[in-house]
């Protein structure tokens, strides 16, 4: 926050109180308490909305940054927000085969290390071009993960891990947040799980925020994921987003991991899904929407993000 803005806030006593309350949630990582199986009205979950917008901006920035190839300063509307303005980029990657792009940023104000994976611009690719065949998550087990996502993540993971290992040491009190929209959400969750299992002591610092994430693996994998990171994962879905319903469950036993936070409508009312440990998709959350009633417009609308200029230019069905 700039000094001018801070000064303006100090002038108005009422505003100070309001900002202080919000500051708890927005500045510095604070877990937001949500009760599984409960419905919330938008006005009662403003801190949750603020956090969703913040990580959606990172996710959008990762995606558009990649496309523009012009640097962090050129990630358009995504970077205008104070949420991501003063972050320090530590690593960006752009790999053609297996396709993967993303960034690691350090944000001193919020005491966060953020790993953002870029989404795809072609959602159909999730079930056509990319390999939906599952590969064993751990060699020798039957636990299956989407082959395309596994290859993308493993293709760059040594580099990401090397940077994270160093950053985690240099910023010992920072939270490590994995985030991404669409394909990027699946890759972020997978990367978080790998990192939790391979960097000693980092697991309690990990949080995962994904948006419009397609199914990542089979039911056995979902169960494994939930045991490891379920309690610190927020899988945000928007109304009738079709990407969230892909690949279909009948294919290779695909199943979502926990914990689904469903944005139920334009206003941003929320339903927090139940968080069972096994393969369980709450039928009262986004899976209550029939596949044929879904529309990709919802994949482009997570509380109004990604911004329309990006949505128009970069996202196609
Ligand atoms: C990334 O972070 C590491 C660990 O703090 C640091 O040594 C390195 O210089 C950083 N690189 C960039 C490009 O900021
Ligand atoms: C489910 O939520 C409760 C708190 O509401 C938490 O204690 C528990 O660890 C969660 N379980 C999973 C698998 O996320
Ligand atoms: C869905 O909601 C209805 C009505 O509140 C409830 O009776 C039912 O148990 C819920 N189903 C699940 C799977 O939670």
């Amino acid at each position: 926050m700039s000094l001018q803005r801070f000064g303006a806030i100090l002038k108005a006593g009422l505003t100070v109180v309001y900002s202080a309350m919000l500051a708890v949630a927005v500045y510095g990582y604070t877990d937001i308490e949500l009760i599984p199986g409960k419905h919330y009205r938008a006005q009662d979950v403003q801190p949750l909305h603020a956090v969703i917008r913040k990580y959606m901006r990172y996710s959008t920035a990762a995606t558009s940054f990649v496309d523009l190839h012009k640097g962090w300063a050129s990630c358009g509307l995504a970077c205008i927000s104070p949420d991501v303005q003063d972050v320090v980029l530590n690593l960006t990657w752009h790999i053609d085969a297996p396709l993967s792009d993303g960034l690691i940023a350090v944000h001193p104000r919020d005491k966060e290390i953020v790993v953002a994976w870029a989404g795809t611009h072609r959602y159909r690719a999730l079930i056509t071009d990319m390999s939906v065949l599952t590969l064993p998550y751990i060699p020798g087990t039957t636990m299956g993960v989407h082959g395309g996502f596994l290859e993308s993540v493993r293709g760059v993971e040594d580099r990401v891990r090397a940077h994270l290992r160093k950053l985690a040491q240099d910023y010992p009190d920072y939270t490590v947040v994995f985030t991404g929209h669409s394909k990027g959400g699946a890759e972020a969750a997978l990367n978080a799980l790998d990192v939790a299992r391979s960097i000693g002591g980092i697991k309690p610092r990990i949080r995962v925020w994904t948006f419009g994430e397609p199914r990542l693996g089979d039911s056995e994998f979902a169960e494994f994921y939930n045991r490891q990171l379920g309690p610190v994962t927020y899988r945000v879905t928007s109304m009738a987003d079709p990407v969230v319903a892909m690949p279909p469950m009948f294919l290779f036993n695909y199943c979502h991991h926990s914990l689904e936070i469903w944005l139920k409508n334009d206003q941003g009312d929320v339903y927090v899904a139940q968080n069972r440990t096994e393969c369980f998709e709450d039928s009262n959350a986004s899976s209550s929407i029939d596949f044929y009633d879904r529309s990709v417009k919802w994949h482009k609308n997570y509380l109004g993000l990604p911004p329309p200029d990006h949505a128009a230019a970069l996202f196609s069905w």
Side-chain angles (χ1 to χ4, degrees):
M1 186 188 295
S2 72
L3 275 178
Q4 290 96 314
R5 256 190 74 202
F6 200 63
I9 288 169
L10 284 177
K11 276 182 204 138
L14 259 181
T15 322
V16 172
V17 175
Y18 175 71
S19 310
M21 276 161 47
L22 201 63
V24 173
V26 182
Y27 303 121
Y29 194 97
T30 309
D31 284 310
I32 292 174
E33 202 181 324
L34 296 166
I35 300 167
K38 192 168 165 359
H39 294 266
Y40 293 88
R41 286 178 313 166
Q43 62 261 41
D44 299 329
V45 284
Q46 290 307 304
L48 172 68
H49 281 195
V51 171
I52 287 174
R53 288 203 175 90
K54 175 166 87 169
Y55 296 128
M56 255 314 282
R57 286 191 182 103
Y58 275 104
S59 302
T60 307
T63 304
S64 39
F65 179 52
V66 163
D67 218 65
L68 296 173
H69 287 296
K70 283 177 192 161
W72 180 254
S74 298
C75 55
L77 287 182
C79 283
I80 289 173
S81 159
D83 277 344
V84 291
Q85 240 170 32
D86 50 355
V87 306
V88 180
L89 274 184
N90 189 263
L91 172 72
T92 65
W93 68 91
H94 312 283
I95 297 170
D96 288 331
L99 183 71
S100 124
D101 307 87
L103 59 89
I104 301 180
V106 178
H107 200 182
R109 186 196 69 184
D110 290 4
K111 287 186 179 276
E112 288 177 345
I113 298 160
V114 180
V115 186
W117 288 75
T120 178
H121 305 156
R122 297 182 51 236
Y123 311 124
R124 265 192 227 284
L126 292 175
I127 46 172
T128 53
D129 306 2
M130 291 193 77
S131 172
V132 292
L133 283 173
T134 52
L135 296 173
Y137 176 63
I138 298 171
T141 66
T142 53
M143 198 190 298
V145 177
H146 186 292
F149 300 149
L150 191 71
E151 278 180 13
S152 300
V153 169
R154 297 278 162 90
V156 70
E157 204 159 49
D158 286 347
R159 250 162 91 197
V160 171
R161 194 186 287 113
H163 277 253
L164 278 181
R165 193 171 271 134
K166 226 166 164 296
L167 286 166
Q169 275 167 10
D170 288 354
Y171 304 90
D173 57 338
Y174 282 30
T175 307
V176 184
V177 180
F178 292 82
T179 191
H181 174 248
S182 193
K183 164 181 170 278
E187 290 167 351
L190 191 54
N191 184 211
L193 184 59
D194 281 348
V195 166
R197 297 176 60 242
S198 61
I199 300 183
I202 205 172
K203 194 171 151 188
R205 296 164 62 183
I206 290 179
R207 299 292 182 273
V208 183
W209 286 84
T210 75
F211 308 94
E213 179 189 339
R215 292 192 180 96
L216 173 52
D218 65 15
S219 56
E220 224 184 301
F221 173 79
E223 186 174 346
F224 181 77
Y225 183 97
N226 288 344
R227 265 188 277 126
Q228 301 286 324
L229 292 179
V232 293
T233 298
Y234 303 82
R235 183 171 58 78
V236 183
T237 61
S238 182
M239 190 46 203
D241 182 345
V243 174
V244 166
M246 296 181 339
M249 292 180 89
F250 62 76
L251 211 66
F252 310 117
N253 223 356
Y254 269 101
C255 180
H256 269 303
H257 60 75
S258 290
L259 177 69
E260 181 180 1
I261 311 291
W262 185 37
L263 300 166
K264 294 194 289 183
N265 49 34
D266 264 332
Q267 295 79 51
D269 292 341
V270 166
Y271 173 66
V272 180
Q274 303 190 43
N275 68 340
R276 314 248 171 90
T277 42
E278 68 278 24
C279 167
F280 173 77
E281 296 186 15
D282 190 328
S283 52
N284 284 339
S286 75
S287 61
S288 61
I289 310 280
D290 193 272
F291 191 81
Y292 297 100
D293 293 334
R294 289 173 183 265
S295 157
V296 78
K297 76 173 187 194
W298 290 104
H299 192 57
K300 301 173 191 172
N301 183 1
Y302 278 72
L303 301 178
L305 294 168
D309 66 334
H310 289 96
L314 303 177
F315 293 84
S316 64
W317 180 245

